[in-house]
Amino acid sequence: MRLAYDPSHYRDNTNLRDTIENVARLGYEYVELSPREDFIWFNQYPKVDKQLIKDLKRYCSDAGVKISSVLPVQQWSSPVEEVREAAVRNWKRCIEITSELDVDLMNTEFAGDKTRPTDSEAAFVKSMDELMPLFEKEGIRLNIQSHPHDFIELNTEAVRMIRALDKDWIKLVYSVPHAFFYDDGIGDVEQHLEEAGDLLDHVLIADTLNHKAAFGLRYIINPPGANVTIHQHLNPGEGEINFDALYKKLREMKFDGIVTNAVFAYPDRPEWSNELTLKSIKEGLHLD
């Protein structure tokens, strides 16, 4: 099992070198290279050149940190063809960067338009048809998560879509703080992991509140019916995820993929947040 840290707490006010050093200082051997404006940002062309790649590799070597995966988020499932084409172009550059970093894994989200799921699925498959040969050429594996407001939100549908691609190098990211979207408000983490089965390769750890609770009135959105979603990435124990059940199921499955600290809520107190979350992960998964 690889225990990784998503350094989103540091992305807005810390340069790349200091970010990597912080990951090592917090006690991690692996970093999940999530979006940041000075590297690969959401839905934009990567701001990376050969020198930056060389520098990042040196930062990691000096700190004793390895990159577990590179995480781009692009609108590759957009039903707007111009947007989809731009996303594929951006994806190709992201794959090149990952290869030049000597990293063999990327992870991402389905994206797309929740209000146009059929059109978004068609766009996603078209993008995958264009990109899969490049992934295979570069020897890079891919893990995908469904995300609130993606064209796929339910866990069962994410599993089915990945199985439909039928590539042994494409697997599932299970994002714990999305659990109440994965089954429309139940949050049965054990069932989700059971559904994922052999596709499960990556778990993101954070807590969240059930947005469906209180008869749907926990979050009151105005105007009613607005096309929005809401969730959190809190420290374990601050929300309503059943972490005892989650950790127990992962132990039973003998899960041996990547587990990432994906708490984003405390950029003003990252050390405190990490202390709580890392303790929860290590105790829950019986890690030394």
Side-chain angles (χ1 to χ4, degrees), residues 116-155:
R116 299 175 61 184
T118 302
D119 293 338
S120 295
E121 179 182 297
F124 171 72
V125 173
K126 184 176 182 180
S127 295
M128 289 301 297
D129 284 343
E130 296 178 29
L131 291 171
M132 284 192 292
L134 183 56
F135 277 107
E136 292 176 336
K137 176 178 178 291
E138 298 294 347
I140 295 174
R141 299 176 292 119
L142 178 65
N143 290 337
I144 311 176
Q145 63 165 301
S146 50
H147 191 282
H149 212 68
D150 282 3
F151 82 92
I152 292 178
E153 288 186 327
L154 297 179
N155 189 65

Side-chain angles (χ1 to χ4, degrees), residues 50-73:
K50 287 182 172 58
Q51 185 61 50
L52 186 54
I53 291 171
K54 182 179 179 180
D55 289 344
L56 177 57
K57 292 171 79 170
R58 186 179 74 254
Y59 302 154
C60 288
S61 177
D62 290 347
V65 170
K66 302 173 185 175
I67 301 173
S68 58
S69 59
V70 175
L71 167 54
V73 177

Side-chain angles (χ1 to χ4, degrees), residues 229-269:
T229 60
I230 186 169
H231 70 289
Q232 299 84 23
H233 281 244
L234 307 171
N235 298 321
E238 294 180 343
E240 294 169 307
I241 296 293
N242 186 343
F243 276 94
D244 288 340
L246 175 82
Y247 291 138
K248 179 174 182 290
K249 186 63 177 178
L250 288 170
R251 295 196 308 268
E252 289 175 353
M253 295 173 70
K254 296 182 171 57
F255 178 71
D256 195 32
I258 300 173
V259 174
T260 299
N261 175 347
V263 176
F264 307 151
Y266 304 103
D268 56 331
R269 293 178 288 167

Side-chain angles (χ1 to χ4, degrees), residues 144-180:
I144 311 176
Q145 63 165 301
S146 50
H147 191 282
H149 212 68
D150 282 3
F151 82 92
I152 292 178
E153 288 186 327
L154 297 179
N155 189 65
T156 52
E157 292 181 1
V159 170
R160 288 170 184 161
M161 189 72 253
I162 292 172
R163 292 201 185 282
L165 296 172
D166 201 20
K167 298 288 185 181
D168 59 8
W169 50 270
I170 304 178
K171 295 189 181 295
L172 180 76
V173 178
Y174 181 76
S175 184
V176 177
H178 304 164
F180 295 111

